[in-house]
Amino acid sequence: MVFITEDNIKQFRTMMEKTDEPLKKTFQNIHQGYPTENLVRFLKARDGNVSNAYKMLIDCLTWRIQNEIDNILAKPIIPAELYRAIRDSQLVGLSGYSKEGLPVIAVGVGLSTFDKASIHYYVQSHIQMNEYRDCVILPSASKRFGRYIGTCIKVLDMTGLKFSALNQIKLLSVISTIDDLNYPEKTETYFIVNAPYIFSACWKVVKPLLQERTRKKVQVLSGSGRDELLKIMDYESLPHFCRREGSGSSRHSRNGTVGDCFSFDHSFHQELYNYIKEQAALRKPAAPIKQGSFHVDFPEHGPEDVKIAETIESEFQRLGDQNRLSHSLHELKINGD
């Protein structure tokens, strides 16, 4: 476990005070009034090494300036039908809050298809949700619970995970790398639920490749994880796919789309989409909003990310070959009969 000392923070703060004004300005958008807590995030991400943490933060701030990330919440994805299609194929949403006030982010890993728009739209949408979380959701939670809240809980639903997920590894690697480099230490715990055999097999080979601090954050729960999750959140905050004792579904709930936090009609996405449209109107009230994705430079994958992606791909292919062999033998037996 990494211990961040006051000397680490003081040294880091002194280095940041010497940076250029544009970098300081975009750092204000990151820390939202909590500079020390956010310096600690980057220190943790670099195991307490001040020089490495400083480089990481400067690279992050430079990326934000070069890609106009501070303005991304004023860049709505239009028309609304396109945003709805993205929501139907990139399953992410806010289901509620833990008993300690941490936002609960639900992610439908297994049933996300990422096939309704270009990669740029999906990356844009992901970054917008990150920024909305950091600029609106977390500050609101801090105010509501009377203390600083800078992290969230993620519940990853593996329902429907198939070999075809290989087609999504490139996009998922891009999103993961963006998060690792520019939004470090924003997730307190990752809960894996509804995990099929294919996930369990991949997890065995991927787990040793993860950094220890990441590995400790991941908890694979039995079935839908309902009982375990109810220890840290109320029933109303459970993602819809966790509300049954058995395995759940990312797309449906007993109340239709009402309880489906992935749906464009859910209050979270309605509030997010309306917020982005309002910000766009404030920035350019006289200019019409143009259709088109907001392009962001994709960071290069680190050696660890590349190795993990290659390992997942290799394991998927191995399991796929086994699956095809099993089907072939099954067909041979039927034909033999």
Side-chain angles (χ1 to χ4, degrees), residues 199-258:
F199 169 81
S200 302
C202 284
W203 178 239
K204 289 179 182 178
V205 296
V206 169
K207 186 177 180 180
L209 303 178
L210 299 175
Q211 294 183 11
E212 183 182 5
R213 69 173 185 279
T214 302
R215 204 161 52 235
K216 288 181 176 180
K217 291 182 180 181
V218 180
Q219 294 188 32
V220 182
L221 304 183
S222 175
S224 68
R226 178 177 177 270
D227 293 339
E228 287 299 312
L229 292 175
L230 283 175
K231 295 176 182 178
I232 62 169
M233 68 185 73
D234 295 331
Y235 182 84
E236 290 71 22
S237 291
L238 278 179
H240 55 281
F241 49 79
C242 296
R243 295 191 176 190
R244 291 190 293 172
E245 294 185 5
S247 60
S249 167
S250 282
R251 291 191 181 275
H252 304 292
S253 69
R254 63 188 179 188
N255 295 321
T257 60
V258 175

Side-chain angles (χ1 to χ4, degrees), residues 34-193:
Y34 295 93
T36 300
E37 289 81 355
N38 282 273
L39 292 178
V40 169
R41 285 200 297 116
F42 284 85
L43 283 168
K44 286 182 177 179
R46 289 297 177 261
D47 297 322
N49 185 301
V50 179
S51 296
N52 291 345
Y54 175 75
K55 182 183 184 305
M56 182 186 191
L57 179 52
I58 294 300
D59 288 345
C60 167
L61 299 177
T62 303
W63 172 79
R64 292 180 68 88
I65 292 172
Q66 292 176 344
N67 292 278
E68 300 182 12
I69 300 301
D70 289 340
N71 297 324
I72 200 169
L73 285 178
K75 304 288 184 180
I77 295 174
I78 56 173
E81 289 73 19
L82 174 60
Y83 188 73
R84 182 183 291 276
I86 291 172
R87 293 280 58 80
D88 287 342
S89 53
Q90 183 184 30
L91 305 180
V92 185
L94 175 71
S95 66
Y97 296 83
S98 73
K99 294 176 181 178
E100 294 184 346
L102 277 62
V104 178
I105 307 295
V107 185
V109 178
L111 292 177
S112 290
T113 56
F114 301 100
D115 59 352
K116 304 298 183 184
S118 71
I119 184 174
H120 297 287
Y121 276 117
Y122 287 113
V123 171
Q124 176 183 349
S125 177
H126 178 78
I127 294 175
Q128 284 179 331
M129 280 189 278
N130 279 356
E131 291 294 308
Y132 188 71
R133 173 198 64 197
D134 295 349
C135 298
V136 179
I137 297 295
L138 289 173
S140 176
S142 298
K143 184 177 180 180
R144 176 183 171 189
F145 289 90
R147 64 181 182 84
Y148 172 69
I149 295 177
T151 57
C152 65
I153 290 170
K154 288 189 177 179
V155 184
L156 311 183
D157 180 25
M158 296 295 166
T159 298
L161 187 65
K162 298 177 181 177
F163 296 108
S164 58
L166 268 179
N167 301 327
Q168 304 165 14
I169 282 185
K170 178 183 177 182
L171 173 56
L172 293 176
S173 295
V174 167
I175 288 176
S176 174
T177 303
I178 287 174
D179 284 355
D180 289 344
L181 296 180
N182 303 291
Y183 302 93
E185 300 297 316
K186 297 299 293 189
T187 303
E188 194 77 18
T189 310
Y190 297 90
F191 291 104
I192 310 293
V193 301

Side-chain angles (χ1 to χ4, degrees), residues 23-35:
L23 296 177
K24 290 180 180 177
K25 184 177 180 180
T26 195
F27 182 52
Q28 290 177 352
N29 290 326
I30 287 181
H31 69 61
Q32 292 289 311
Y34 295 93

